Amino acid sequence: GRAKSPYWSREFQIVGSTAAVYRTSADARTSWERGASSAGRNCLRDEFRREFARQGEAVRVSIRRLSFPSLGGGSFAQRLAISGAATGSPSVYLDFVVIRERRGLVGLLFAGVVTPPSRATELSLARVVAGRMAKAMRGA
């Protein structure tokens, strides 16, 4: 199963989430490992590049792994930085946090325009979500 939240924004900061429940814990772990891999990061970066190119936009998209505490059965974070080809400095930052708990995965999106998303907000919300996942996935 899959679900997606609406996006919430305030003062050039955006937050959203997705959730997926897999048939088995092994399926969830495989999906998590693919997303956490360098190939998974490159795929995400390349998809953003292609989408902007389809719209006729010339942008630079970079991606890097962020340090993040271990939550649930596993977690990782990565940041996309998007900048106009002429400016060089990023104008949009997209942080993705993925948390795994048994058969479930949650993806949190934090976006910041001009400045990166708040690290304190990311950690706080990720901890809340991990706690809710632990309760929801008991026995799953």
Side-chain angles (χ1 to χ4, degrees), residues 37-59:
S37 72
S38 61
R41 280 191 303 281
N42 292 339
C43 181
L44 180 63
R45 179 202 61 214
D46 294 345
E47 187 57 35
F48 270 83
R49 284 180 178 163
R50 281 190 293 274
E51 187 56 37
F52 279 104
R54 275 193 285 272
Q55 297 176 32
E57 299 290 331
V59 298

Side-chain angles (χ1 to χ4, degrees), residues 22-128:
Y22 289 81
R23 191 174 307 276
T24 67
S25 294
D27 290 343
R29 186 176 47 254
T30 298
S31 178
W32 182 86
E33 288 170 351
R34 286 180 180 157
S37 72
S38 61
R41 280 191 303 281
N42 292 339
C43 181
L44 180 63
R45 179 202 61 214
D46 294 345
E47 187 57 35
F48 270 83
R49 284 180 178 163
R50 281 190 293 274
E51 187 56 37
F52 279 104
R54 275 193 285 272
Q55 297 176 32
E57 299 290 331
V59 298
R60 292 183 197 168
V61 181
S62 64
I63 192 165
R64 69 181 176 91
R65 185 135 185 185
L66 298 174
S67 64
F68 205 79
S70 181
L71 299 173
S75 57
F76 68 89
Q78 48 201 14
R79 171 173 290 162
L80 275 169
I82 303 168
S83 58
T87 64
S89 60
S91 54
V92 176
Y93 297 88
L94 301 173
D95 289 0
F96 297 91
V97 175
V98 180
I99 304 167
R100 180 176 58 86
E101 182 67 50
R102 295 187 176 93
R103 295 186 308 126
L105 290 181
V106 167
L108 302 171
L109 167 72
F110 301 91
V113 178
V114 181
T115 60
S118 163
R119 180 73 167 169
T121 299
E122 291 177 351
L123 292 169
S124 177
L125 290 176
R127 286 184 176 118
V128 168

